[in-house]
Amino acid sequence: MVDHAHPSQLLATFAASLRYEQIPDAVRMRTEDLFLDWIGSALAGRTSRAVQTIDRYAQTMGPGEGPCEVLISRRTTTPLFAAMVNAAASHVAEQDDVHNGSVFHPGAVVFPAALAVAQSIGASGRDLLTAAVAGYEVGIRVGEFLGRSHYRIFHTTGTAGTLAAAAAAGHVLKLTPDQMLHAFGSAGTQAAGLWEFLRDAADSKQLHTAAAAANGLTSAYLAQDGFTGACRILEGAQGMAAGMSSDADPAKLTDRLGERWALAETSFKFHASCRHTHPAADALQQVMRSHGLQPEQITRVVAHVHQGAIDVLGAVVDPHTVHQAKFSMGTVLALIAHYDVAGLSQFEDHFNAAPIAAFRGKVGMEFDDEVDAAYPARWIGKVTVETTDGRRLAGRVDEPKGDPGNTLSRAELEGKALRLALFGEAASEAEMHALAERIWHLADAPRVGNLFA
Amino acid sequence: MVDHAHPSQLLATFAASLRYEQIPDAVRMRTEDLFLDWIGSALAGRTSRAVQTIDRYAQTMGPGEGPCEVLISRRTTTPLFAAMVNAAASHVAEQDDVHNGSVFHPGAVVFPAALAVAQSIGASGRDLLTAAVAGYEVGIRVGEFLGRSHYRIFHTTGTAGTLAAAAAAGHVLKLTPDQMLHAFGSAGTQAAGLWEFLRDAADSKQLHTAAAAANGLTSAYLAQDGFTGACRILEGAQGMAAGMSSDADPAKLTDRLGERWALAETSFKFHASCRHTHPAADALQQVMRSHGLQPEQITRVVAHVHQGAIDVLGAVVDPHTVHQAKFSMGTVLALIAHYDVAGLSQFEDHFNAAPIAAFRGKVGMEFDDEVDAAYPARWIGKVTVETTDGRRLAGRVDEPKGDPGNTLSRAELEGKALRLALFGEAASEAEMHALAERIWHLADAPRVGNLFA
C-alpha cells in the first residue's frame, strides 16, 4: 500500500525495490566510474593522521578479522568497522565525487557501507551496483529536500549521508520496503554533522563520513532484525526537516523516482579542494590561458560566488594546514595561477609557500546574484582579474571540469585513481590497473569479493 | 589559559580537572544512589525486544570477549559495545533518573560510558564516581543551554547525552582539558536524536541512548589519541545551538561550575512512565486519597500541564504498546486511579484492559500558565477532577515523588532496584543486595571491576 502523502515511504519503497534491470546502461557505467573514483579517494586517505586515528580506534574496539576489507591497511574486520574506516578515508583528499544540487558527496558514504555488506554476505557485482544506485538516489534527494538552510549549519554528507548509507546497505541486505522505511527512521534519528569544525581545521570531516556510513549500516542491520524507526523521519513534525531545516521541500524526496537518475548528475572532482572553489578555479584558468597571463601580472582576483561558498569558505582566511588550505579560495586560485593545477601534490608542497601566500592576499570573494540564483543546480564560475597594466578581465565557465557535461573519460578516471593510490602509497600501478579492469566488468562478477585479494 | 568568552572551554576544563576531593559528601552519596538506580533500570531492560536486537547487533559486529561487562547478558566485550548495549537497556523501563531543568536522563548515558571505560582500564571506584559527576554536570548544563526550543524536536538525552558520555568517558581516561575540549567537539558534531519516533511507538529511544553513550565514548578515545574537534561546538556560529536551538543561552553552560552540583538536582523516577506524566499522576493520587474517591466516581480528569508535556505526550491518544502507554497521560492516570501505582507490572498487565481504556477516554490535558512558567525548574502537578455527583475537585503537588525535596531513601532505592532486576529476570535478590553493599562502599574500591563477577 503506497501512500502518496508519505514521501519517506515512497523513497524507501523505491530503494528497497530497485532492480538491476531498471538501471539504464549509461547510469550503470557511471556507477562503475564512481566506484573506481571512490576507491582512489579512499586509498589517498591512508596517510592522514585523522584517518589513522579512526583506524586505530577500530582496531581497539572491533574484531581483528572478519569478512570485510579495510582498504588502507588491507586488514579484515566486521562490516561496521570496515565501513567506518573506509568512509573516514574517503573524504580527506577532497577528491571524491559531489552532487551539485544537493551539495552532497555520495561516494564517501554509499560505497563504504555497500561494499562492507556485500563482502560480508558474498553479494554479486550487480547487487553492489544496484545498491549503490539506491544509495545515491536516496541521499541526493534527501540532500535536496533538506535545502540550503540545512547546509548553512549542517554537513549534508554527514546527515543525508546517513540515509544514503542506510539505503545502500539495506539494499544489499535485501530489506523489504517496510524494513527499509524503518532503516530510514533509525538512520535519520542518528543523522548529524556540523560545520563548526572548519573554523579550527579540526578532524571532524573524517568523523562525519565515518559516522554516516557506520550509522547507516547499523540502521540497515537493525531493521533486518526487526528494529523499528519513525515512519516519517524526513518530513514528520518532529523529524529531520523540522529540526534541521527551514526551507525543506518534501516534493524533492520523490522527484521522478526511477525516471530521473540523480547519480548521473554527480560530478567528479578535478581539483583537490573543496568543490565550492572549483568554478572560480576553472574561470581563472580560462582567463589566464586566453590572455596568456603570468601570476606576477595579476594584482587582484575577485571570485563572484554563491552564498554557500561564502558560508563554507569565508571563515578560512589564513590556512595553517593542507586540509584548511583546500577551503581557502585564495590558496586554490594562487595554486592555479602558479601551477595551472591545484592537485594533491601542489597542496602538500606549496600551500603556504611565499608566492602562494602573497597571491592569496590578492583574492577576494563577492556574492553574485546570477551565480547564486543558478546554484545549486548549476555551479557557474565567474572571476574578475585586474592586471599590473590596468586591465580588468572577466573569466567565466558555465560547467566546471568533472561535471556531467564536462566529465572525465575512463582513461582520465583511471589516471586520477592511480595518482590518488600512489599519493597514499596504498596500491601499486599494477594493482590499480587490474582493479579498474575488474570494475569495468563488475556487473558480471558473481561475488564482489576483496578488492585487493 | 582560560578564556571567559569561551564557555565550551570552561566546561571542558572543569570536566577534565574535577577531583574527587572537590565533591561534597552529599553529592558523592547521591552519585552512589544514582549508580544503583541506573543498574536497576539497565537490568529491567533485559527482556525488551529492541534492546535484544541491539545486543545481537553488538555480538555480530563486536568482539565476543573483552574487559567490559554487558549487564543484561553477562557476556564481555570491548568498551564500545558494552556502553552501547548497557545504554540501550537503561531507558526502556522509563525508570531511570531525570534532571528536571534540562529534561535530560543523565544516568542512561553517563554510567554506561563511564563504567565501560573504568572496567577496561581498571579504574578505581573514586575515578568512576568522579567521572560520573563530570558527566552529569556537563550533560545537564548542555541540556539547559540548548533550551526548550531544542527539546520540542530533539531528544535531549540523545543530544546533550553525547556530550555527557564524552565527559564521563574522557574523565576516566584522564584527558587533559585540551583533549576534553576536542572530545566535546567530536561528541557535539555527532549529537542526534529526534522525537518523531514517538508517533509510531518505534524503537528509537533505545537507539538514542545507545548511540549517545557509544559516540561520546568514541569521542573520548579519539581525543586521547590526538583526534581534534571544533573548539566551540556548543556555542559556535555553526555549532549545536546554531543548528538545533532558537533559545540557547551560553551562560547556562558554565553556571556556577564547582559550586552548584546539578547532579544533586536529579530526580529518581517513581512511576514507570514518561516523567512528564508524573506531576499529574501525583496530583491525581493526592486528590483521590484526600477525598476517598474510587475510579468509578470520576467522570473527567484534566491535567494542567506545561507545553513540553503536550509536545511529547500529545501525539499519543490510543497507545498500542506498553512503551507507548508510558507516554499516554490517560493511561498513566487510569492506572493511578485503579491501582494507586503505575509501575512496570501495571503497565505490562493492564495498559489496555477495558477499565483502563475507558478511563483513558476521560482524561484531557490543558496548557497551564503557572505550570508552564515554573517549568522546567519546577514540575508542578495540577489536576481538576469531576465526579459523578457533580463535584469539581482540584489536586496539586509542588514537588513530585522522587524529586530532590521528596526523594527516595536508600532502602527505597534498593527496593526499587531489586524490583527492576527481578522484572528483567536479570539478577537475583542476593546479587542485588551484595551489589548495593558494594556501591555504598564504592569510594573505597581500588578497582571497579565487574558488577556481577
Side-chain angles (χ1 to χ4, degrees):
Chain A
M1 181 77 90
V2 168
D3 175 358
H4 285 277
H6 191 169
S8 283
Q9 187 189 53
L10 288 168
L11 191 62
T13 300
F14 171 79
S17 309
L18 182 67
R19 287 176 298 107
Y20 176 78
E21 293 72 24
Q22 292 173 266
I23 302 169
D25 279 351
V27 175
R28 187 256 306 154
M29 289 183 69
R30 184 63 62 90
T31 311
E32 294 161 0
D33 293 352
L34 290 162
F35 186 43
L36 177 65
D37 195 61
W38 165 70
I39 294 169
S41 282
L43 294 173
R46 193 185 69 81
T47 57
S48 153
R49 177 189 50 76
V51 174
Q52 291 179 351
T53 306
I54 290 175
D55 189 34
R56 275 194 298 275
Y57 179 70
Q59 291 179 48
T60 302
M61 297 298 167
E65 54 187 30
C68 307
E69 199 175 11
V70 178
L71 295 179
I72 57 169
S73 64
R74 304 205 182 179
R75 66 186 185 85
T76 61
T77 184
T78 52
L80 175 65
F81 293 100
M84 183 188 293
V85 180
N86 289 337
S90 302
H91 202 40
V92 185
E94 295 288 344
Q95 288 278 271
D96 53 313
D97 61 279
V98 62
H99 182 268
N100 290 343
S102 53
V103 205
F104 166 51
H105 298 276
V109 292
V110 166
F111 285 116
L115 178 64
V117 182
Q119 291 182 332
S120 174
I121 66 172
S124 71
R126 290 188 179 193
D127 285 345
L128 176 64
L129 290 168
T130 311
V133 174
Y136 271 69
E137 299 300 318
V138 166
I140 290 167
R141 284 178 176 79
V142 171
E144 290 176 334
F145 158 72
L146 291 169
R148 294 175 70 167
S149 67
H150 179 73
Y151 187 72
R152 274 197 284 275
I153 308 284
F154 291 92
H155 184 193
T156 304
T157 301
T159 54
T162 310
L163 278 289
H171 194 279
V172 183
L173 289 173
K174 303 195 187 301
L175 298 189
T176 67
D178 273 359
Q179 289 173 330
M180 186 67 87
L181 186 60
H182 289 305
F184 281 17
S186 293
T189 207
Q190 295 183 83
L194 295 159
W195 281 121
E196 181 63 26
F197 76 93
L198 280 183
R199 223 160 253 98
D200 308 308
D203 298 330
S204 309
K205 186 175 265 201
Q206 280 59 70
L207 185 58
H208 292 173
T209 50
N215 294 337
L217 180 145
T218 296
S219 302
Y221 274 94
L222 290 176
Q224 189 187 38
D225 196 21
F227 197 87
T228 63
C231 292
R232 296 174 189 269
I233 196 64
L234 293 158
E235 72 276 29
Q238 291 169 303
M240 283 180 76
M244 306 193 279
S245 172
S246 59
D247 64 343
D249 177 1
K252 302 273 193 194
L253 288 171
T254 55
D255 179 38
R256 290 165 288 156
L257 284 171
E259 296 164 28
R260 168 195 171 206
W261 298 95
L263 175 143
E265 302 160 5
T266 304
S267 301
F268 298 101
K269 274 199 171 183
F270 197 61
H271 309 298
S273 58
C274 175
R275 186 69 177 173
H276 289 297
T277 67
H278 290 208
D282 287 351
L284 177 63
Q285 200 171 44
Q286 185 234 38
V287 77
M288 288 185 71
R289 286 176 180 176
S290 60
H291 293 87
L293 289 182
Q294 295 302 312
E296 304 76 45
Q297 294 174 270
I298 294 176
T299 56
R300 172 96 182 134
V301 181
V302 173
H304 306 281
V305 299
H306 52 274
Q307 185 61 42
I310 294 171
D311 292 342
V312 173
L313 310 172
V316 186
V317 288
D318 182 22
H320 293 291
T321 65
V322 167
H323 182 260
Q324 213 175 16
K326 294 174 179 175
F327 288 84
S328 155
M329 180 66 92
T331 306
V332 174
L333 297 193
L335 292 174
I336 290 288
H338 285 80
Y339 303 103
D340 196 44
V341 284
L344 289 177
S345 51
Q346 284 75 35
F347 275 102
E348 288 289 329
D349 298 342
H350 307 299
F351 87 93
N352 228 0
I356 300 303
F359 195 99
R360 184 157 62 217
K362 302 176 185 172
V363 175
M365 281 191 290
E366 288 182 6
F367 176 85
D368 186 274
D369 281 328
E370 183 204 7
V371 173
D372 193 68
Y375 175 90
R378 290 190 305 134
W379 293 48
I380 299 170
K382 279 166 74 173
V383 294
T384 305
V385 177
E386 296 174 27
T387 63
T388 46
D389 57 5
R391 284 179 289 167
R392 258 177 94 83
L393 307 169
R396 179 188 180 102
V397 292
D398 282 295
E399 191 153 21
K401 176 73 174 169
D403 268 15
N406 189 9
T407 195
L408 307 185
S409 66
R410 285 202 156 175
E412 287 177 312
L413 286 165
E414 288 189 34
K416 178 186 164 192
L418 175 60
R419 285 193 300 277
L420 289 167
L422 296 178
F423 177 85
E425 299 176 12
S428 69
E429 186 163 352
E431 284 177 324
M432 290 305 290
H433 182 71
L435 184 64
E437 284 304 309
R438 270 178 69 190
I439 291 175
W440 306 149
H441 298 93
L442 189 61
D444 303 323
R447 292 167 77 96
V448 174
N450 281 3
L451 302 186
F452 300 103
Chain B
M1 179 79 88
V2 168
D3 175 357
H4 285 276
H6 191 168
S8 282
Q9 187 188 54
L10 288 167
L11 191 61
T13 300
F14 171 80
S17 310
L18 182 68
R19 286 175 300 106
Y20 177 78
E21 294 71 24
Q22 292 173 265
I23 302 169
D25 279 351
V27 174
R28 188 256 305 153
M29 290 183 68
R30 185 62 64 91
T31 311
E32 295 160 359
D33 293 351
L34 290 162
F35 186 42
L36 177 64
D37 195 61
W38 165 69
I39 294 168
S41 282
L43 294 174
R46 194 186 69 82
T47 57
S48 151
R49 176 188 50 76
V51 174
Q52 291 180 350
T53 305
I54 290 175
D55 188 34
R56 276 194 297 275
Y57 179 71
Q59 292 179 48
T60 302
M61 296 298 168
E65 55 187 30
C68 308
E69 200 175 10
V70 178
L71 296 179
I72 57 169
S73 64
R74 305 205 183 180
R75 65 186 186 87
T76 63
T77 184
T78 52
L80 174 65
F81 293 100
M84 183 189 293
V85 180
N86 289 337
S90 300
H91 202 38
V92 184
E94 293 289 342
Q95 287 280 270
D96 53 314
D97 62 279
V98 62
H99 182 268
N100 289 343
S102 52
V103 205
F104 166 51
H105 298 276
V109 292
V110 165
F111 286 116
L115 178 64
V117 183
Q119 292 181 332
S120 173
I121 66 172
S124 71
R126 291 188 179 195
D127 285 345
L128 176 64
L129 290 168
T130 311
V133 175
Y136 272 69
E137 299 300 317
V138 166
I140 289 168
R141 284 177 176 80
V142 171
E144 289 176 335
F145 157 72
L146 291 170
R148 296 175 68 167
S149 67
H150 179 74
Y151 187 72
R152 273 198 283 276
I153 308 284
F154 291 93
H155 183 194
T156 304
T157 301
T159 54
T162 311
L163 279 288
H171 195 280
V172 183
L173 289 173
K174 301 194 186 304
L175 298 189
T176 67
D178 273 357
Q179 289 173 330
M180 186 67 87
L181 186 59
H182 290 305
F184 280 17
S186 293
T189 207
Q190 294 183 83
L194 295 159
W195 281 122
E196 181 63 25
F197 76 91
L198 281 183
R199 221 160 254 98
D200 308 308
D203 297 331
S204 309
K205 186 175 263 198
Q206 280 60 68
L207 184 59
H208 292 173
T209 51
N215 294 338
L217 180 144
T218 296
S219 302
Y221 275 93
L222 290 176
Q224 190 187 38
D225 195 22
F227 198 88
T228 64
C231 292
R232 296 174 189 269
I233 196 65
L234 293 159
E235 71 276 30
Q238 289 168 304
M240 281 180 77
M244 305 193 278
S245 172
S246 58
D247 65 342
D249 178 1
K252 303 274 193 194
L253 287 172
T254 56
D255 179 38
R256 291 165 288 157
L257 283 171
E259 296 166 27
R260 168 197 171 204
W261 298 95
L263 175 142
E265 303 161 4
T266 304
S267 301
F268 298 100
K269 275 199 169 183
F270 197 60
H271 309 297
S273 58
C274 175
R275 186 68 176 171
H276 288 298
T277 66
H278 291 209
D282 287 353
L284 177 63
Q285 199 169 46
Q286 186 235 38
V287 77
M288 289 185 71
R289 286 177 182 176
S290 60
H291 294 87
L293 289 182
Q294 295 303 312
E296 304 75 47
Q297 293 174 268
I298 295 176
T299 56
R300 172 99 181 132
V301 182
V302 173
H304 306 280
V305 299
H306 53 273
Q307 184 60 42
I310 294 172
D311 293 341
V312 172
L313 310 173
V316 186
V317 288
D318 182 21
H320 292 292
T321 65
V322 168
H323 182 259
Q324 212 176 16
K326 293 174 178 175
F327 289 84
S328 156
M329 180 66 91
T331 307
V332 174
L333 297 193
L335 292 173
I336 290 288
H338 285 80
Y339 304 103
D340 196 44
V341 284
L344 290 177
S345 50
Q346 284 75 35
F347 276 103
E348 289 290 329
D349 298 342
H350 306 299
F351 87 93
N352 228 0
I356 300 303
F359 195 99
R360 185 157 62 219
K362 300 177 185 173
V363 175
M365 282 192 290
E366 286 182 8
F367 176 85
D368 186 274
D369 281 328
E370 182 203 7
V371 173
D372 193 68
Y375 175 90
R378 291 190 303 134
W379 294 47
I380 300 171
K382 280 166 74 172
V383 293
T384 306
V385 177
E386 297 174 27
T387 62
T388 46
D389 57 4
R391 284 179 289 167
R392 258 177 92 85
L393 305 170
R396 179 187 180 104
V397 293
D398 282 297
E399 192 153 21
K401 177 72 174 169
D403 268 15
N406 189 11
T407 195
L408 307 185
S409 68
R410 284 201 157 176
E412 286 177 313
L413 286 164
E414 289 189 30
K416 178 186 163 191
L418 176 60
R419 285 193 300 277
L420 289 168
L422 295 178
F423 177 84
E425 299 175 12
S428 69
E429 186 163 353
E431 284 176 325
M432 290 305 290
H433 182 72
L435 184 65
E437 284 305 308
R438 270 177 69 189
I439 290 175
W440 306 148
H441 299 93
L442 189 61
D444 303 323
R447 293 167 76 98
V448 174
N450 281 3
L451 301 187
F452 299 102

